[in-house]
């Protein structure tokens, strides 16, 4: 399959839905990808079976606060600088680029780097969504080392880190992203194609494209058609009545209150944010929580609104749907369940909390 | 010349005098060096003329807040880890270790790494004193690149940075030192032996040893004998009456007031600190300022007290003496003059401010 100018808008819409509000606004990644594909031609989407087993899969993504990445964008050369360092330190050729996370801009922008470098894009990612922390990837669960990690900024500062584990990856790279001004481009959990077959969340790029196409082709209520496609739940339809958000410690953190309208009039839903929407609460009870995917949609278009663009007065529908199964394992929940974000609550799957999809 | 257990105490005392209060307590570096020399034998002190021109000089030092380095010490393997990375990324053998700064613990601890690695120590350093910021070295003035910089912590986290310039070296490495817990071991401004001949402050290790010997052999007032040896000035003899100090942004910052005693009774001297003693003020007038060396001595022993160990009630004599000439050039003052530390004042040499040495 080729990712070209026709496919990219679908990919961007799908990445936004899978983002849980994080990964940066896909509009930025979409613009970068459209330009790169116009300049260098479409990008081939490949499965690991099409690549040499001992070559390198290079995960790529933006690290930092999405609030910052709206204004501080890539200059386009980051992918090349990362690749040069990756091939030098691993001594192996890069076979394909993979989005570190499929959610948000991070799901689209790798297409721009792939186009510029003439590399294919692996149909997969590290999360099947977006998460705030760098070690929250399926590769960590599969025992793939986070080292070496290559990080660059748009000025061509380059950093090659060999963290002893995912905890130190996060500490060192987060502080560097802050030092760089709030965002950086990074590749970590480098792996061979053979390792990617067991380590990555495969199929997530085509999944995002399919979600986007469902929205593009919707003939009825796009929210309804989306929810049917992803086996999702409508948590609340309403209006954003309060937004509290700050860029601290390299993250966009805060909480948002949605006041119900129409059939949900009189209800209040509260979302807790750390880059992504992590917990949805109503009357003190959890209605959905991480690692399941909570996304805020524009009620009219069903387009996802990233956490950094949530504003008072927006008419939204909050939806939730199941995460990739890797996150529901014991190791997955230890890495990315509610307690990994300091919420004192146990994970319960969204379908258990909410019953049959609506 | 061999640096052995007899020489080390003199070196440590001299490094403390040259430190301007920074570089960490030399007691810690001295203990590490004594142990390493006992285990592995003495270290050869060499001039660049004794080394192959195309081999690498590896500057080494602690980066971070001296307040932290009192408790968070090296584990002894840092020098080896740095050397491994340095030889890998430069593709050249390391000819000798050089202290990044001769001041404080940073002047002594490189002896421990040299002993453990079986390498000689270059008779030189990057500053001829201690400075707070990483690019404040003579190599920066000589146009030697700060990249690559290799940084490690005691857990074996390793970082290889290619900052675009000294400003980004400081930003990235400072934030990493903070992420590591407030201190890290680092090598930057790597250079060939040929480059070190013009880029380093040569002779500073033997200069420190000579200063230490002057104190060891003093028969009269050690402060007087020291001042004669370094062409220095007695700013004030007194008692520390106020200490304001905080560990912020990876530095120990604050100010200290010394109330005059004996012949200086009734006078007050205020020191401004950023890891090092940077400015000495009396009645609003500058009595001495960076890059000249302001050191606080124990009045009885003439041992220097590092900024992180200054305490209320200590009987001290504050002295000042000229820095290495490289810092009095236009480029030197731009890099490490008072305005480089945000003090709104012009540099005047200590001998111009204070007249004939006393």
């Amino acid at each position: 399959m080729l990712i070209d100018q026709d496919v990219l808008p679908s990919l961007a819409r799908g990445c936004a839905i899978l983002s849980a509000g994080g990964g940066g606004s896909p509009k930025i990644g979409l613009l970068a990808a459209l330009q790169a594909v116009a300049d260098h031609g479409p990008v081939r989407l490949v499965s690991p079976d099409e690549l040499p087993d001992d070559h390198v899969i290079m995960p790529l993504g933006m690290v930092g606060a999405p609030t910052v990445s709206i204004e501080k964008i890539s200059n386009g050369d980051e992918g090349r600088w990362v690749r040069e360092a990756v091939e030098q330190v691993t001594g192996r050729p890069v076979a394909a680029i993979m989005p570190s996370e499929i959610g948000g801009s991070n799901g689209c922008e790798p297409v721009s780097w792939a186009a510029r470098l003439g590399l294919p894009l692996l149909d997969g990612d590290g999360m099947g969504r977006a998460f705030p922390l760098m070690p929250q990837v399926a590769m960590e669960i599969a025992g793939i080392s986070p080292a070496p990690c290559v990080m660059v900024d748009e000025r061509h500062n380059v950093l090659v880190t060999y963290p002893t584990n995912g905890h130190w990856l996060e500490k060192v790279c987060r502080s560097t992203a802050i030092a760089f001004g709030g965002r950086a481009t990074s590749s970590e959990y480098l792996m061979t194609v053979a390792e990617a077959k067991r380590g990555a969340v495969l199929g997530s790029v085509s999944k995002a494209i399919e979600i986007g196409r469902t929205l593009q082709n919707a003939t009825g209520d796009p929210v309804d058609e989306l929810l049917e496609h992803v086996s999702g739940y409508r948590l609340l339809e309403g209006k954003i009545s309060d937004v509290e958000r700050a860029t601290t410690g390299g993250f966009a953190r805060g909480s948002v209150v949605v006041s119900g309208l129409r059939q949900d009039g009189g209800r209040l839903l509260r979302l807790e944010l750390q880059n992504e929407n992590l917990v949805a609460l109503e009357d003190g009870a959890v209605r959905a929580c991480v690692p399941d995917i909570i996304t805020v949609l524009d009620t009219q278009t069903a387009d996802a609104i990233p956490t950094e663009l949530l504003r008072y007065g927006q008419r939204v529908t909050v939806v939730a749907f199941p995460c990739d199964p890797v996150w529901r394992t014991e190791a997955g929940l230890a890495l990315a369940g509610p307690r990994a974000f300091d919420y004192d609550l146990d994970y319960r799957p969204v379908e258990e909390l909410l019953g049959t999809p609506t």
Side-chain angles (χ1 to χ4, degrees), chain A residues 144-222:
Chain A
I144 291 163
S145 170
C149 162
V150 176
M151 201 170 208
V152 303
D153 72 355
E154 73 285 2
R155 306 169 194 86
H156 202 180
N157 286 303
V158 178
L159 193 88
V160 183
T161 328
Y162 299 83
T164 47
N165 56 37
H167 168 78
W168 285 103
L169 169 77
E170 171 64 26
K171 284 202 75 154
V172 170
C173 290
R174 185 72 47 182
S175 69
T176 303
I178 296 169
F180 281 166
R183 83 184 280 282
T185 305
S186 169
S187 182
E188 60 282 337
Y189 294 98
L190 292 157
M191 54 194 161
T192 62
V193 171
E195 288 172 321
K197 287 176 184 170
R198 62 179 179 83
V201 176
L202 294 177
S204 46
V205 175
S206 40
K207 181 178 178 179
I209 294 169
E210 283 310 311
I211 291 173
R213 282 185 175 148
T214 301
L215 292 178
Q216 309 278 60
N217 302 333
T219 50
D221 178 6

Side-chain angles (χ1 to χ4, degrees), chain A residues 90-172:
Chain A
T90 64
R92 292 169 190 256
V94 170
I97 286 174
M98 180 183 97
S100 292
E101 60 183 13
I102 191 65
S105 188
N106 273 338
C108 309
E109 194 150 2
V111 177
S112 76
W113 294 313
R116 286 169 187 276
L117 295 177
L119 286 170
L121 190 76
L122 187 74
D123 188 4
D125 77 310
M127 306 183 180
R129 48 164 291 162
F131 277 124
L133 301 183
M134 296 175 73
Q136 290 172 326
V137 288
M139 293 81 90
E140 173 76 19
I141 297 173
I144 291 163
S145 170
C149 162
V150 176
M151 201 170 208
V152 303
D153 72 355
E154 73 285 2
R155 306 169 194 86
H156 202 180
N157 286 303
V158 178
L159 193 88
V160 183
T161 328
Y162 299 83
T164 47
N165 56 37
H167 168 78
W168 285 103
L169 169 77
E170 171 64 26
K171 284 202 75 154
V172 170

Side-chain angles (χ1 to χ4, degrees), chain A residues 34 274 314:
Chain A
L34 284 170
Q274 293 185 31
Q314 286 168 332

Side-chain angles (χ1 to χ4, degrees), chain A residues 247-264:
Chain A
T247 304
T248 56
F251 296 98
R253 293 193 173 103
S255 59
V256 166
V257 177
V258 185
S259 304
L261 291 175
R262 301 210 307 169
Q263 75 279 9
D264 295 329

Side-chain angles (χ1 to χ4, degrees), chain A residues 310-326:
Chain A
L310 295 172
R311 274 194 289 273
Y312 174 84
Q314 286 168 332
R315 261 57 174 181
V316 299
T317 299
V318 184
V319 302
F321 53 99
C323 60
D324 188 88
V326 70

Side-chain angles (χ1 to χ4, degrees), chain A residues 267-309:
Chain A
R267 292 171 56 198
L268 286 178
L269 191 75
R270 182 185 182 87
L271 301 174
E272 293 296 326
L273 323 179
Q274 293 185 31
N275 283 10
E276 281 75 27
N277 307 299
L278 296 183
V279 183
L281 298 156
E282 185 173 2
D283 296 331
V286 176
R287 298 265 294 156
C289 70
V290 70
D292 285 333
I293 299 169
I294 304 168
T295 298
V296 179
L297 307 177
D298 179 304
T299 298
Q300 293 304 313
T301 64
D303 272 313
I305 306 173
T307 57
E308 72 273 19
L309 296 180

